[in-house]
Amino acid sequence: MSVTAAPALLDRDGLNALVSALVAQGRTVIGPTVRDGAIVLAELDSADALPFGWGVELDAGRYRLVRREDGAAFAHSAGPQSWKNFLHPARERLWSAERTPEGDVSFTPQEPAVPSYAFLGVRPCDLRAIAIQGRVLTGGRHADGGYAGRRERALIVAVECTEPGAACFCVSTGGGPAVDPGYDLALTEVDGRFLVRVGSDEGAALLEQVPHRGAGPDVEESARAAVDSARERMGRALPPVDLRALMGASLTAERWDDVAARCLTCGNCTMVCPTCFCTTTEEVTDLTGDHTERWQRWDSCFDLDFSYLHGGPVRSSPRSRYRQWLTHKLGTWHDQFGTSGCVGCGRCIAWCPAGIDITEEVAALDTERAARGTETD
Ligand code: SF4
Ligand code: SF4
Protein backbone atom coordinates (compact mmCIF):
# COMPACT_ATOMS: atom_id res chain seq x y z
CA MET A 1 0.00 0.00 0.00
CA SER A 2 1.32 3.45 -0.88
CA VAL A 3 -1.36 5.79 0.42
CA THR A 4 -0.34 9.44 0.25
CA ALA A 5 -3.62 11.24 -0.44
CA ALA A 6 -4.26 14.29 1.73
CA PRO A 7 -7.56 14.55 3.63
CA ALA A 8 -10.40 15.69 1.38
CA LEU A 9 -13.80 17.24 1.90
CA LEU A 10 -17.09 15.94 0.46
CA ASP A 11 -20.47 17.61 0.57
CA ARG A 12 -23.76 15.73 0.30
CA ASP A 13 -23.52 15.65 -3.50
CA GLY A 14 -20.03 14.23 -3.14
CA LEU A 15 -21.36 11.51 -0.85
CA ASN A 16 -23.98 10.68 -3.47
CA ALA A 17 -21.25 10.53 -6.10
CA LEU A 18 -19.30 8.16 -3.86
CA VAL A 19 -22.24 5.76 -3.64
CA SER A 20 -22.80 6.04 -7.41
CA ALA A 21 -19.13 5.23 -8.06
CA LEU A 22 -19.38 2.15 -5.82
CA VAL A 23 -22.56 1.00 -7.58
CA ALA A 24 -20.85 1.57 -10.95
CA GLN A 25 -18.04 -0.75 -9.78
CA GLY A 26 -20.69 -3.46 -9.47
CA ARG A 27 -20.63 -3.40 -5.68
CA THR A 28 -23.59 -4.01 -3.40
CA VAL A 29 -23.53 -0.92 -1.20
CA ILE A 30 -24.74 -1.55 2.35
CA GLY A 31 -25.30 1.25 4.82
CA PRO A 32 -27.58 2.56 7.55
CA THR A 33 -31.13 3.56 6.67
CA VAL A 34 -34.42 3.98 8.54
CA ARG A 35 -36.74 0.99 8.43
CA ASP A 36 -39.32 -0.47 10.82
CA GLY A 37 -38.65 2.12 13.52
CA ALA A 38 -34.93 1.49 13.68
CA ILE A 39 -31.73 2.28 11.85
CA VAL A 40 -30.95 -0.89 9.99
CA LEU A 41 -28.20 -1.90 7.57
CA ALA A 42 -29.59 -2.42 4.08
CA GLU A 43 -28.68 -2.07 0.41
CA LEU A 44 -28.46 1.58 -0.66
CA ASP A 45 -28.72 2.85 -4.21
CA SER A 46 -28.12 6.46 -3.19
CA ALA A 47 -26.67 8.35 -0.25
CA ASP A 48 -30.11 10.00 0.06
CA ALA A 49 -31.26 6.80 1.78
CA LEU A 50 -28.91 7.46 4.71
CA PRO A 51 -30.69 8.47 7.94
CA PHE A 52 -30.21 12.23 7.55
CA GLY A 53 -31.78 13.97 10.52
CA TRP A 54 -32.30 10.85 12.63
CA GLY A 55 -30.71 9.97 15.94
CA VAL A 56 -31.48 7.36 18.56
CA GLU A 57 -32.39 7.34 22.23
CA LEU A 58 -30.96 4.32 23.99
CA ASP A 59 -31.02 2.69 27.37
CA ALA A 60 -30.97 -0.85 28.72
CA GLY A 61 -33.78 -2.65 26.88
CA ARG A 62 -34.79 0.53 25.08
CA TYR A 63 -34.22 1.89 21.54
CA ARG A 64 -36.13 4.79 19.97
CA LEU A 65 -35.56 6.85 16.84
CA VAL A 66 -35.56 10.59 17.45
CA ARG A 67 -35.46 13.51 15.06
CA ARG A 68 -32.33 15.66 14.99
CA GLU A 69 -32.41 19.28 13.96
CA ASP A 70 -28.90 19.27 12.51
CA GLY A 71 -29.77 16.87 9.67
CA ALA A 72 -26.69 14.72 10.39
CA ALA A 73 -26.41 11.41 8.51
CA PHE A 74 -24.28 9.43 10.97
CA ALA A 75 -25.23 10.83 14.39
CA HIS A 76 -26.79 7.59 15.56
CA SER A 77 -25.11 4.72 17.35
CA ALA A 78 -25.17 1.02 16.51
CA GLY A 79 -28.52 -0.41 15.42
CA PRO A 80 -29.77 -3.96 15.90
CA GLN A 81 -27.66 -5.39 13.09
CA SER A 82 -23.95 -5.44 12.54
CA TRP A 83 -21.80 -6.17 9.51
CA LYS A 84 -21.66 -9.84 10.49
CA ASN A 85 -25.14 -10.13 8.96
CA PHE A 86 -23.38 -9.78 5.59
CA LEU A 87 -19.91 -11.24 6.19
CA HIS A 88 -21.10 -14.16 8.35
CA PRO A 89 -24.75 -14.65 7.29
CA ALA A 90 -27.34 -15.99 9.71
CA ARG A 91 -28.11 -18.95 7.37
CA GLU A 92 -25.99 -20.53 4.65
CA ARG A 93 -26.58 -23.75 2.71
CA LEU A 94 -23.53 -26.02 2.89
CA TRP A 95 -24.58 -28.82 0.56
CA SER A 96 -27.55 -30.61 -0.92
CA ALA A 97 -28.13 -34.26 -1.79
CA GLU A 98 -30.46 -36.06 -4.20
CA ARG A 99 -31.55 -39.69 -4.29
CA THR A 100 -31.39 -40.89 -7.87
CA PRO A 101 -34.05 -43.21 -9.40
CA GLU A 102 -31.45 -45.99 -9.09
CA GLY A 103 -31.31 -45.42 -5.34
CA ASP A 104 -27.88 -43.80 -5.25
CA VAL A 105 -27.30 -40.50 -3.44
CA SER A 106 -25.41 -37.67 -5.09
CA PHE A 107 -24.03 -34.78 -3.07
CA THR A 108 -23.55 -31.24 -4.39
CA PRO A 109 -21.44 -28.87 -2.30
CA GLN A 110 -22.71 -25.30 -2.19
CA GLU A 111 -20.25 -22.68 -3.36
CA PRO A 112 -20.41 -19.80 -0.86
CA ALA A 113 -21.95 -16.55 -2.05
CA VAL A 114 -19.19 -13.96 -2.30
CA PRO A 115 -20.79 -10.63 -3.28
CA SER A 116 -18.62 -7.59 -3.82
CA TYR A 117 -19.79 -5.46 -0.92
CA ALA A 118 -19.10 -1.84 -0.07
CA PHE A 119 -19.88 -1.10 3.56
CA LEU A 120 -20.71 2.57 4.11
CA GLY A 121 -20.80 3.87 7.67
CA VAL A 122 -18.77 1.28 9.59
CA ARG A 123 -18.30 2.53 13.16
CA PRO A 124 -14.86 2.26 14.82
CA CYS A 125 -16.24 -0.36 17.24
CA ASP A 126 -17.62 -2.36 14.33
CA LEU A 127 -14.35 -2.11 12.40
CA ARG A 128 -12.65 -3.71 15.41
CA ALA A 129 -15.42 -6.34 15.55
CA ILE A 130 -14.84 -7.20 11.88
CA ALA A 131 -11.13 -7.68 12.62
CA ILE A 132 -11.96 -9.89 15.62
CA GLN A 133 -14.42 -12.06 13.68
CA GLY A 134 -11.91 -12.31 10.84
CA ARG A 135 -9.31 -13.65 13.26
CA VAL A 136 -11.80 -16.18 14.66
CA LEU A 137 -13.23 -17.39 11.35
CA THR A 138 -10.13 -17.31 9.16
CA GLY A 139 -7.20 -17.38 11.59
CA GLY A 140 -7.12 -21.08 12.40
CA ARG A 141 -6.45 -24.28 10.50
CA HIS A 142 -10.03 -24.56 9.22
CA ALA A 143 -10.73 -21.15 7.72
CA ASP A 144 -14.27 -20.27 6.64
CA GLY A 145 -13.70 -19.77 2.91
CA GLY A 146 -16.98 -17.92 2.38
CA TYR A 147 -16.18 -15.42 5.12
CA ALA A 148 -12.62 -14.98 3.83
CA GLY A 149 -13.85 -14.31 0.29
CA ARG A 150 -16.51 -11.83 1.36
CA ARG A 151 -14.12 -9.94 3.63
CA GLU A 152 -11.37 -9.91 1.01
CA ARG A 153 -13.70 -8.36 -1.58
CA ALA A 154 -15.41 -5.87 0.75
CA LEU A 155 -14.53 -2.18 0.58
CA ILE A 156 -14.96 -0.35 3.87
CA VAL A 157 -15.97 3.29 4.28
CA ALA A 158 -15.72 3.85 8.02
CA VAL A 159 -17.34 6.71 9.93
CA GLU A 160 -15.87 8.19 13.09
CA CYS A 161 -18.32 8.74 15.92
CA THR A 162 -19.19 12.27 16.87
CA GLU A 163 -22.36 11.29 18.77
CA PRO A 164 -21.90 8.34 21.14
CA GLY A 165 -25.01 6.47 22.25
CA ALA A 166 -26.08 6.09 25.85
CA ALA A 167 -25.18 2.38 25.67
CA CYS A 168 -21.73 2.90 24.08
CA PHE A 169 -18.57 2.08 26.05
CA CYS A 170 -15.91 1.50 23.36
CA VAL A 171 -13.33 3.70 25.12
CA SER A 172 -13.24 1.39 28.16
CA THR A 173 -12.60 -1.60 25.87
CA GLY A 174 -9.47 0.01 24.44
CA GLY A 175 -11.13 1.45 21.34
CA GLY A 176 -12.65 4.80 20.77
CA PRO A 177 -14.72 7.01 18.60
CA ALA A 178 -11.64 7.60 16.40
CA VAL A 179 -11.16 5.00 13.72
CA ASP A 180 -8.22 2.55 13.69
CA PRO A 181 -6.55 1.36 10.46
CA GLY A 182 -8.39 -1.27 8.43
CA TYR A 183 -10.63 1.00 6.35
CA ASP A 184 -10.38 2.07 2.72
CA LEU A 185 -11.89 5.49 3.38
CA ALA A 186 -12.82 7.09 6.70
CA LEU A 187 -15.39 9.87 7.02
CA THR A 188 -15.87 12.35 9.85
CA GLU A 189 -19.10 14.33 9.64
CA VAL A 190 -18.59 18.01 10.39
CA ASP A 191 -21.42 20.53 9.97
CA GLY A 192 -23.08 18.72 7.08
CA ARG A 193 -19.83 17.94 5.27
CA PHE A 194 -17.55 14.92 5.40
CA LEU A 195 -13.83 14.97 6.03
CA VAL A 196 -12.38 12.00 4.15
CA ARG A 197 -9.16 10.20 4.98
CA VAL A 198 -7.71 7.53 2.76
CA GLY A 199 -6.63 4.18 4.20
CA SER A 200 -5.79 2.10 1.12
CA ASP A 201 -4.85 2.40 -2.53
CA GLU A 202 -8.33 1.21 -3.44
CA GLY A 203 -9.79 3.98 -1.31
CA ALA A 204 -7.50 6.53 -2.96
CA ALA A 205 -8.58 5.39 -6.43
CA LEU A 206 -12.23 5.62 -5.40
CA LEU A 207 -11.82 9.13 -4.04
CA GLU A 208 -10.28 10.20 -7.34
CA GLN A 209 -13.57 9.35 -9.07
CA VAL A 210 -15.60 11.60 -6.79
CA PRO A 211 -15.78 15.43 -6.88
CA HIS A 212 -14.03 16.69 -3.76
CA ARG A 213 -11.79 19.44 -2.55
CA GLY A 214 -8.93 19.63 -0.12
CA ALA A 215 -9.78 19.88 3.55
CA GLY A 216 -8.14 22.82 5.27
CA PRO A 217 -6.60 22.57 8.76
CA ASP A 218 -9.71 24.21 10.21
CA VAL A 219 -11.92 21.31 9.06
CA GLU A 220 -9.43 18.75 10.35
CA GLU A 221 -9.33 20.61 13.67
CA SER A 222 -13.15 20.64 13.91
CA ALA A 223 -13.28 16.92 13.12
CA ARG A 224 -10.69 16.12 15.82
CA ALA A 225 -12.60 18.24 18.33
CA ALA A 226 -15.89 16.49 17.52
CA VAL A 227 -14.35 13.03 17.97
CA ASP A 228 -12.56 14.10 21.17
CA SER A 229 -15.85 15.41 22.51
CA ALA A 230 -17.51 12.07 21.73
CA ARG A 231 -14.76 10.30 23.68
CA GLU A 232 -15.65 12.38 26.73
CA ARG A 233 -19.39 11.65 26.40
CA MET A 234 -19.42 7.85 26.42
CA GLY A 235 -22.70 6.59 27.81
CA ARG A 236 -21.18 3.80 29.88
CA ALA A 237 -17.87 2.22 30.91
CA LEU A 238 -16.51 -1.11 32.05
CA PRO A 239 -14.61 -0.97 35.35
CA PRO A 240 -10.91 -0.24 34.78
CA VAL A 241 -9.64 -3.60 36.04
CA ASP A 242 -8.06 -6.67 34.43
CA LEU A 243 -11.32 -8.12 33.10
CA ARG A 244 -9.79 -11.45 32.14
CA ALA A 245 -8.56 -11.94 35.70
CA LEU A 246 -11.89 -10.73 37.08
CA MET A 247 -13.76 -13.33 35.03
CA GLY A 248 -11.40 -16.06 36.24
CA ALA A 249 -11.87 -14.97 39.85
CA SER A 250 -15.67 -14.83 39.55
CA LEU A 251 -16.64 -18.37 38.56
CA THR A 252 -18.48 -19.00 41.83
CA ALA A 253 -19.83 -15.45 42.27
CA GLU A 254 -23.31 -14.95 43.74
CA ARG A 255 -24.02 -12.33 41.08
CA TRP A 256 -24.65 -15.08 38.51
CA ASP A 257 -27.78 -16.04 40.48
CA ASP A 258 -28.93 -12.43 40.46
CA VAL A 259 -28.56 -12.06 36.70
CA ALA A 260 -30.04 -15.52 36.09
CA ALA A 261 -33.22 -14.37 37.85
CA ARG A 262 -33.61 -11.69 35.16
CA CYS A 263 -32.13 -13.35 32.06
CA LEU A 264 -34.69 -14.94 29.73
CA THR A 265 -31.93 -16.93 27.94
CA CYS A 266 -33.42 -15.62 24.70
CA GLY A 267 -30.01 -15.22 23.07
CA ASN A 268 -30.75 -11.73 21.71
CA CYS A 269 -27.42 -10.53 23.09
CA THR A 270 -25.53 -13.10 21.02
CA MET A 271 -27.53 -12.41 17.86
CA VAL A 272 -26.87 -8.65 17.94
CA CYS A 273 -23.25 -8.92 19.12
CA PRO A 274 -20.90 -8.13 16.23
CA THR A 275 -18.25 -10.58 17.45
CA CYS A 276 -20.38 -13.61 18.47
CA PHE A 277 -19.69 -16.19 15.79
CA CYS A 278 -21.10 -19.56 16.90
CA THR A 279 -23.00 -21.66 14.40
CA THR A 280 -24.70 -25.03 14.28
CA THR A 281 -25.81 -27.15 11.35
CA GLU A 282 -29.16 -28.69 10.57
CA GLU A 283 -30.49 -30.96 7.85
CA VAL A 284 -33.79 -30.35 6.13
CA THR A 285 -35.47 -32.74 3.74
CA ASP A 286 -38.50 -32.57 1.47
CA LEU A 287 -41.55 -34.73 2.03
CA THR A 288 -40.42 -37.39 -0.46
CA GLY A 289 -37.10 -37.90 1.28
CA ASP A 290 -35.38 -37.66 -2.13
CA HIS A 291 -33.85 -34.23 -1.54
CA THR A 292 -32.01 -33.02 1.52
CA GLU A 293 -29.93 -29.99 2.41
CA ARG A 294 -27.47 -29.13 5.14
CA TRP A 295 -27.63 -25.54 6.41
CA GLN A 296 -25.34 -23.66 8.75
CA ARG A 297 -27.10 -21.15 10.98
CA TRP A 298 -26.14 -18.89 13.84
CA ASP A 299 -26.32 -20.55 17.23
CA SER A 300 -26.27 -19.12 20.72
CA CYS A 301 -24.61 -20.30 23.92
CA PHE A 302 -27.94 -19.41 25.59
CA ASP A 303 -29.65 -22.31 23.76
CA LEU A 304 -29.97 -25.53 25.74
CA ASP A 305 -28.96 -27.52 22.64
CA PHE A 306 -25.71 -25.59 22.41
CA SER A 307 -24.07 -27.67 25.14
CA TYR A 308 -26.05 -30.89 24.60
CA LEU A 309 -23.83 -33.93 25.11
CA HIS A 310 -25.01 -37.58 25.20
CA GLY A 311 -28.19 -37.23 27.20
CA GLY A 312 -28.38 -33.64 28.37
CA PRO A 313 -27.05 -30.11 28.20
CA VAL A 314 -23.86 -29.40 30.10
CA ARG A 315 -25.14 -25.91 30.92
CA SER A 316 -28.74 -26.48 31.91
CA SER A 317 -29.19 -23.44 34.18
CA PRO A 318 -29.53 -19.80 33.06
CA ARG A 319 -26.78 -19.02 35.59
CA SER A 320 -24.31 -21.28 33.81
CA ARG A 321 -25.28 -20.02 30.37
CA TYR A 322 -24.98 -16.31 31.19
CA ARG A 323 -21.69 -17.03 32.96
CA GLN A 324 -20.43 -18.91 29.91
CA TRP A 325 -21.28 -15.98 27.63
CA LEU A 326 -19.68 -13.31 29.81
CA THR A 327 -16.60 -15.20 30.92
CA HIS A 328 -15.90 -16.26 27.32
CA LYS A 329 -16.50 -12.77 25.94
CA LEU A 330 -14.26 -10.97 28.44
CA GLY A 331 -12.00 -13.75 29.68
CA THR A 332 -11.23 -16.95 27.78
CA TRP A 333 -11.64 -15.18 24.43
CA HIS A 334 -8.14 -13.79 25.19
CA ASP A 335 -6.78 -17.33 25.52
CA GLN A 336 -8.35 -18.47 22.26
CA PHE A 337 -7.96 -15.44 20.03
CA GLY A 338 -5.53 -13.06 21.79
CA THR A 339 -8.12 -10.33 22.27
CA SER A 340 -11.29 -9.48 24.16
CA GLY A 341 -14.56 -10.44 22.48
CA CYS A 342 -16.20 -7.13 23.37
CA VAL A 343 -15.77 -3.86 21.48
CA GLY A 344 -18.21 -1.84 23.58
CA CYS A 345 -20.87 -1.26 20.91
CA GLY A 346 -23.68 -1.48 23.48
CA ARG A 347 -26.03 -3.54 21.29
CA CYS A 348 -26.47 -6.29 23.90
CA ILE A 349 -27.61 -3.62 26.39
CA ALA A 350 -30.18 -1.93 24.16
CA TRP A 351 -31.60 -5.13 22.66
CA CYS A 352 -31.85 -7.24 25.83
CA PRO A 353 -35.59 -7.52 26.54
CA ALA A 354 -34.81 -7.76 30.26
CA GLY A 355 -32.59 -4.66 30.18
CA ILE A 356 -29.51 -6.54 31.39
CA ASP A 357 -26.47 -4.29 31.11
CA ILE A 358 -23.08 -5.95 30.63
CA THR A 359 -21.27 -2.97 32.20
CA GLU A 360 -23.49 -3.17 35.29
CA GLU A 361 -22.98 -6.92 35.61
CA VAL A 362 -19.20 -6.61 35.34
CA ALA A 363 -19.18 -3.78 37.89
CA ALA A 364 -21.24 -5.94 40.26
CA LEU A 365 -18.81 -8.84 39.83
CA ASP A 366 -15.93 -6.50 40.58
CA THR A 367 -17.66 -5.19 43.70
CA GLU A 368 -18.30 -8.75 44.87
CA ARG A 369 -14.69 -9.71 44.17
CA ALA A 370 -13.48 -6.69 46.15
CA ALA A 371 -15.73 -7.68 49.06
CA ARG A 372 -14.20 -11.16 49.01
CA GLY A 373 -10.73 -9.59 48.94
CA THR A 374 -9.65 -11.46 45.77
CA GLU A 375 -7.03 -9.63 43.73
CA THR A 376 -7.46 -9.35 39.95
CA ASP A 377 -4.53 -7.15 39.08
S1 SF4 B 1 -28.88 -11.28 28.76
FE1 SF4 B 1 -30.79 -10.42 27.87
S2 SF4 B 1 -30.58 -10.69 25.65
FE2 SF4 B 1 -29.06 -12.04 26.63
S3 SF4 B 1 -30.09 -14.02 26.83
FE3 SF4 B 1 -30.44 -12.92 28.76
S4 SF4 B 1 -32.42 -11.85 28.46
FE4 SF4 B 1 -31.71 -12.48 26.40
S1 SF4 C 1 -20.76 -7.98 24.25
FE1 SF4 C 1 -22.32 -6.38 23.91
S2 SF4 C 1 -21.21 -4.43 23.92
FE2 SF4 C 1 -19.67 -6.08 23.69
S3 SF4 C 1 -19.39 -6.25 21.46
FE3 SF4 C 1 -21.00 -7.74 22.01
S4 SF4 C 1 -22.94 -6.63 21.77
FE4 SF4 C 1 -21.30 -5.09 21.76
Side-chain angles (χ1 to χ4, degrees), residues 1-6 184 198-205:
M1 193 178 80
S2 57
V3 176
T4 54
D184 294 289
V198 171
S200 72
D201 291 339
E202 208 173 356

Side-chain angles (χ1 to χ4, degrees), residues 66-237:
V66 290
R67 273 290 181 191
R68 292 179 63 90
E69 288 184 357
D70 61 5
F74 297 108
H76 53 84
S77 47
Q81 300 158 309
S82 69
W83 306 95
K84 82 174 179 183
N85 292 56
F86 303 93
L87 292 173
H88 182 47
R91 291 192 85 223
E92 270 190 296
R93 186 165 55 197
L94 300 178
W95 50 253
S96 55
E98 303 284 347
R99 196 198 321 267
T100 66
E102 295 74 36
D104 296 329
V105 178
S106 68
F107 288 86
T108 308
Q110 178 77 38
E111 286 301 317
V114 186
S116 177
Y117 284 124
F119 295 152
L120 172 59
V122 178
R123 303 274 167 190
C125 59
D126 280 344
L127 192 59
R128 291 170 69 212
I130 289 171
I132 291 171
Q133 264 210 340
R135 202 173 309 162
V136 172
L137 295 172
T138 65
R141 278 188 297 156
H142 305 287
D144 180 331
Y147 183 96
R150 287 185 287 270
R151 176 62 191 94
E152 173 73 26
R153 297 190 74 193
L155 184 137
I156 291 184
V157 181
V159 172
E160 294 194 303
C161 291
T162 53
E163 190 68 61
C168 292
F169 60 98
C170 61
V171 169
S172 63
T173 65
V179 74
D180 291 329
Y183 57 84
D184 294 289
L185 293 176
L187 310 180
T188 314
E189 189 169 14
V190 190
D191 300 330
R193 297 176 301 171
F194 305 90
L195 175 76
V196 190
R197 280 177 292 142
V198 171
S200 72
D201 291 339
E202 208 173 356
L206 177 64
L207 186 59
E208 280 307 305
Q209 299 174 36
V210 175
H212 64 272
R213 58 190 179 86
D218 54 326
V219 180
E220 286 192 66
E221 180 58 34
S222 300
R224 278 311 102 220
V227 173
D228 287 346
S229 160
R231 187 177 290 109
E232 301 304 318
R233 292 182 287 124
M234 282 289 120
R236 284 167 160 77

Side-chain angles (χ1 to χ4, degrees), residues 262-270 302 322 348 351-354 356:
R262 291 171 281 135
C263 177
L264 309 172
T265 67
C266 64
N268 265 18
C269 45
T270 55
F302 284 91
Y322 188 89
C348 59
W351 294 96
C352 172
I356 293 170

